Amino acid sequence: MQRKQWIDLGRGLCMSAIIFFHTEIYYCGSEVVPYSVFAQNAITLFFFLSGYLFCSDREYCLHDKLAYILRRLVVPYFLFTIPISIIKPFVYGERPCAVDIAVSEISGNASWFVAALVTAELLFSLMVWKFGKNKLAIGLSAIIMLMFSVIFGNTEDAYIYNKVNIWHVNEAFIAFFCMALGFMYRMEEKRMDGYIGIPVLLVLGVVLVAIKYYETAMEMNMIVSPTIISCYPLFIADIIIFIIIFINMIKKMPSLPYMIFVGRNSLYHYFLCGASPTLSAIIMRRLLPYEGNFINILPAFILSMIICSLTVKAIIMAVGKR
C-alpha cells in the first residue's frame, strides 16, 4: 500500500513541535511558549495518526499486529533507551545505577511516550480483534478509556489515582481515545472531509484561539504526561478542533521532504528529543545565550533538529535501512 505523504508530514511536524518544546526547556531553563498552546496537541495528534493507520482495508490479523508492535515499538524502545539511560548520568556528572536503569526500563519509564503508545496499541489491537470496525463498540471503548483517565489517570483530581502506572497506562487511556478518533475518521474520511470547508475552518480557528486564550489566562493544566488535566471537556474540545484544522491543512500543503523524513522516522527522532536539545543548549549557551530573547530560541531549535536528524540518518545508514 502506497504511503500517504500527509501522514508523514503530520508526524514530522508533531515531532518538530516536541523537539521545540524540549529545546525551550534545556536552552531557556523553562518553557517560554506555554505547554497548553501546542505541546498536548502535537502529542495527541500523533496518537490520532497512529489510530488512522490502524484502520486498513486488509483483513485484520492480531498475530501480525502484535508482532509489528514488538518489532517497531518494543524492540526500539530497549535498543535506544538503554544506551541513553547509561550515558545520561555522565552528562550531569553522575554515575549510572544498574538497578535504577533496570527498573526504569522494565516499568516503561525510560520513555513515557513510547510506553504509552505500546500500551494503547496493545489495548486497541485487542479491541479491533474483538469488534472489528464496529463504530458503536469503538466509540464506547473510547469513552470508557476517557473515563478511566478521569477516574484513575488524572494526577490533579483522580478519584482513585493509579500511582504504579506500569508502562504508562494512565497516559495510554488518552492515547487510546485519540487513536479511536483517528480510526473512526479513516472509516468516514471522504464524508467528513466533504463537510469541512473554509468557512467551517475559520470558525473553528476562532474557537480554538478562544480556548487557548482561556486555558492560558486561567493557567489551566492540559498536560498529557503525567496526566494533569484541569478540565476534560475543554481538553477534548481543544484537541479535536486542532486535529480537524491541522488535518485539513496538511492535506493541502506542498511536499516538504525534510518534514516527511522526520515523520517517517518519527520514533527515532523522539528517542533523541532529549539528547539533541541538551547538546544544542550546551553549544548555544556559549555562542548565543537566551537572555530573555525569544528569537534566540530559533537557532537553538534548528540546531536541535540538525543534530537529531543527522544522528537518525547515521543510524539508518548503519543498519542499512532507507
Side-chain angles (χ1 to χ4, degrees):
M1 184 177 64
Q2 187 178 6
R3 295 181 71 102
K4 297 185 177 183
Q5 286 197 350
W6 69 266
I7 297 176
D8 290 325
L9 178 59
R11 284 184 157 187
L13 292 171
C14 288
M15 281 301 123
S16 299
I18 292 170
I19 292 172
F20 178 84
F21 174 74
H22 284 86
T23 300
E24 281 187 317
I25 299 298
Y26 292 112
Y27 175 59
C28 307
S30 62
E31 63 182 45
V32 178
V33 180
Y35 180 98
S36 61
V37 170
F38 72 98
Q40 83 272 17
N41 297 109
I43 293 167
T44 52
L45 176 62
F46 192 94
F47 292 146
F48 174 91
L49 293 174
S50 297
Y52 179 95
L53 293 173
F54 232 93
C55 186
S56 173
D57 295 330
R58 293 178 296 180
E59 184 178 355
Y60 184 79
C61 177
L62 180 62
H63 178 271
D64 290 347
K65 191 60 185 179
L66 295 178
Y68 175 87
I69 294 171
L70 177 65
R71 183 177 69 256
R72 298 299 297 270
L73 293 177
V74 178
V75 172
Y77 166 85
F78 288 108
L79 290 179
F80 273 86
T81 58
I82 290 175
I84 291 173
S85 297
I86 294 172
I87 296 171
K88 188 176 180 179
F90 290 110
V91 175
Y92 295 98
E94 303 172 356
R95 290 186 178 182
C97 175
V99 174
D100 290 344
I101 292 174
V103 171
S104 178
E105 293 290 332
I106 294 171
S107 63
N109 287 326
S111 175
W112 80 263
F113 179 82
V114 179
L117 185 59
V118 168
T119 304
E121 292 218 1
L122 287 173
L123 293 172
F124 208 83
S125 296
L126 294 174
M127 188 272 296
V128 175
W129 172 68
K130 181 66 175 178
F131 300 108
K133 295 183 179 180
N134 186 310
K135 297 175 186 176
L136 178 61
I138 296 168
L140 287 175
S141 298
I143 293 171
I144 290 171
M145 288 297 170
L146 195 60
M147 290 174 61
F148 281 170
S149 178
V150 175
I151 297 170
F152 303 112
N154 190 17
T155 307
E156 184 165 280
D157 194 25
Y159 294 94
I160 310 171
Y161 180 61
N162 172 31
K163 295 181 180 180
V164 179
N165 201 19
I166 294 294
W167 277 80
H168 285 271
V169 65
N170 292 350
E171 291 82 358
F173 295 144
I174 293 176
F176 185 102
F177 175 80
C178 296
M179 289 178 66
L181 294 179
F183 191 92
M184 289 189 289
Y185 168 71
R186 178 77 177 269
M187 289 193 290
E188 299 292 336
E189 185 173 2
K190 291 183 179 179
R191 183 183 301 179
M192 293 183 69
D193 286 351
Y195 293 146
I196 308 298
I198 293 179
V200 174
L201 291 175
L202 289 175
V203 172
L204 290 176
V206 172
V207 173
L208 183 62
V209 170
I211 289 174
K212 294 293 186 184
Y213 176 81
Y214 182 77
E215 290 172 350
T216 304
M218 299 301 294
E219 297 183 348
M220 301 181 75
N221 289 315
M222 299 290 173
I223 303 173
V224 179
S225 181
T227 305
I228 310 175
I229 298 175
S230 301
C231 178
Y232 270 85
L234 200 62
F235 174 79
I236 299 304
D238 182 327
I239 65 173
I240 289 178
I241 293 174
F242 179 86
I243 287 170
I244 293 172
I245 295 172
F246 193 86
I247 293 299
N248 279 271
M249 286 178 56
I250 60 176
K251 281 188 172 183
K252 295 177 176 63
M253 286 177 64
S255 177
L256 301 174
Y258 174 64
M259 278 297 120
I260 291 173
F261 167 77
V262 174
R264 288 182 176 177
N265 301 281
S266 53
L267 194 63
Y268 296 159
H269 280 78
Y270 183 83
F271 283 125
L272 298 169
C273 74
S276 298
T278 298
L279 182 56
S280 172
I282 292 172
I283 296 171
M284 293 303 297
R285 281 176 180 173
R286 295 182 178 182
L287 299 178
L288 187 66
Y290 170 55
E291 296 180 346
N293 188 347
F294 179 81
I295 298 299
N296 291 354
I297 301 175
L298 299 181
F301 165 62
I302 292 171
L303 182 58
S304 296
M305 292 294 296
I306 291 172
I307 294 170
C308 194
S309 294
L310 287 178
T311 306
V312 170
K313 189 69 174 177
I315 293 170
I316 293 173
M317 292 176 64
V319 300
K321 176 184 175 183
R322 290 180 178 270

